[in-house]
Amino acid sequence: MTESTNNDQLLQDLVKRVEALEREAPKNQITLGVVSGDPEHTMAAFMVALGATMFDTEVDMFFMFSGTAALLDPKKKRKNDLPGSTFGMEPPMVKFDLKKHGAMSLEELIQEAGEAGVRITVCNLSMDLMEIKREELIDYPNLSFAGVAAFVDMCSQSKQCWFM
Amino acid sequence: MIDSALKETKTDSELKALKIGKLVDARGTACPGPMLEAKRAMGECPVGGVMEVQSSDNGTIVDIQRWCRKMGHEYLGNLENDGFLSVYLLRKV
């Protein structure tokens, strides 16, 4: 083997390794797994998401189990209670006086998150378990459905992953 | 640990004398409202210009300090007014 083909081979190997590193390197991205349907938890999740957008950090939110209830559109009426949860037909409310303190409601936080480009992914299985139909969810600019592997992949691309 | 990027660089009288490039009135909204309004307004502040963020949320001071450090702007300081704060920063990028 000549020295030049040797160098070519070395270069190709290096390019492959750099590409692999780039694929695996975490991006300026945060992934929030939202499993709780407690409105305080979901509000906190959206506040963290908005905080991250301040730093031009990309945000993925993955909603599972009771967390999915936060994405129910209160304007769209449901026929039955949510199974497996203590909630009634509508998402529960916080017990704080948000208006009095100038704080945003969950609806307003979701609106801001949509405008800031926060991506929402909803777990398909949770939609089934919670017996929620797609048309019962909020109108959100960047909402899709996926399984848990997608969530893990989002986490692997992110510098920070939170589960709440 | 003393982080110089988090410390104010101007005195009260210097802050009062600043020429404001962009004023953001975020009074009456709570966290994260003032930060979101500041970020939105950044595009209207020229690079090298001073932005004043008026907020009635005390958390805005430290949030702006840390935001400036991360985003490459300069935190200049804050003034306490009657019922609200003015937080000043220099847009550098």
Side-chain angles (χ1 to χ4, degrees):
Chain A
M1 203 186 267
T2 66
E3 191 166 330
S4 75
T5 51
N6 218 349
N7 282 344
D8 283 351
Q9 186 60 43
L10 193 65
L11 197 61
Q12 275 177 26
D13 287 351
L14 278 172
V15 166
K16 268 186 198 154
R17 290 173 68 177
V18 169
E19 280 173 352
L21 280 173
E22 283 173 344
R23 251 195 324 275
E24 294 301 319
K27 300 183 179 76
N28 182 19
Q29 185 178 331
I30 181 171
T31 298
L32 310 174
V34 187
V35 72
S36 167
D38 182 323
E40 282 181 36
H41 292 188
T42 46
M43 283 185 73
F46 276 101
M47 286 178 128
V48 170
L50 287 172
T53 66
M54 292 303 303
F55 300 98
D56 296 331
T57 301
E58 284 185 54
V59 188
D60 271 304
M61 298 179 84
F62 188 80
F63 286 78
M64 301 169 82
F65 296 100
S66 298
T68 315
L71 303 176
L72 281 171
D73 191 331
K75 292 188 287 292
K76 300 172 186 170
K77 288 276 172 258
R78 274 180 63 85
K79 288 195 189 71
N80 57 318
D81 286 0
L82 293 170
S85 83
T86 51
F87 314 144
M89 286 195 254
E90 281 170 23
M93 304 294 290
V94 280
K95 50 188 180 288
F96 306 115
D97 190 342
L98 298 169
K99 269 217 180 83
K100 180 181 159 192
H101 298 282
M104 282 185 254
S105 65
L106 178 62
E107 204 177 353
E108 288 165 328
L109 289 167
I110 292 174
Q111 171 82 25
E112 288 278 356
E115 286 170 18
V118 171
R119 293 182 292 263
I120 290 181
T121 307
V122 188
C123 162
N124 285 105
L125 172 63
S126 302
M127 290 287 285
D128 293 343
L129 293 174
M130 301 281 290
E131 295 179 13
I132 294 173
K133 295 191 187 73
R134 292 186 183 203
E135 54 269 26
E136 290 169 339
L137 297 183
I138 48 164
D139 299 312
Y140 189 84
N142 209 334
L143 189 148
S144 59
F145 301 87
V148 75
F151 172 54
V152 176
D153 187 47
M154 288 168 197
C155 290
S156 72
Q157 289 182 358
S158 300
K159 284 185 182 162
Q160 290 186 63
C161 304
W162 295 36
F163 202 65
M164 47 212 303
Chain B
M1 192 184 79
I2 296 164
D3 193 330
S4 60
L6 298 184
K7 283 168 65 179
E8 41 193 78
T9 57
K10 298 228 180 290
T11 63
D12 283 11
S13 52
E14 284 172 331
L15 290 175
K16 277 179 195 147
L18 285 171
K19 187 174 174 286
I20 305 304
K22 177 67 190 170
L23 175 68
V24 182
D25 183 355
R27 288 175 291 176
T29 68
C31 177
M35 292 304 294
L36 296 170
E37 290 189 35
K39 183 169 196 281
R40 255 197 291 268
M42 204 53 159
E44 294 159 39
C45 181
V47 175
V50 172
M51 187 155 91
E52 175 182 346
V53 183
Q54 295 180 341
S55 170
S56 37
D57 174 39
N58 287 325
T60 306
I61 297 174
V62 178
D63 278 9
I64 292 267
Q65 285 172 340
R66 290 189 168 265
W67 185 54
C68 285
R69 178 175 66 170
K70 182 91 174 176
M71 305 308 283
H73 306 303
E74 186 182 338
Y75 170 72
L76 300 174
N78 70 85
L79 291 175
E80 253 180 76
N81 305 302
D82 190 17
F84 67 97
L85 295 158
S86 286
V87 186
Y88 300 88
L89 65 105
L90 178 68
R91 182 178 176 186
K92 292 180 94 169
V93 285

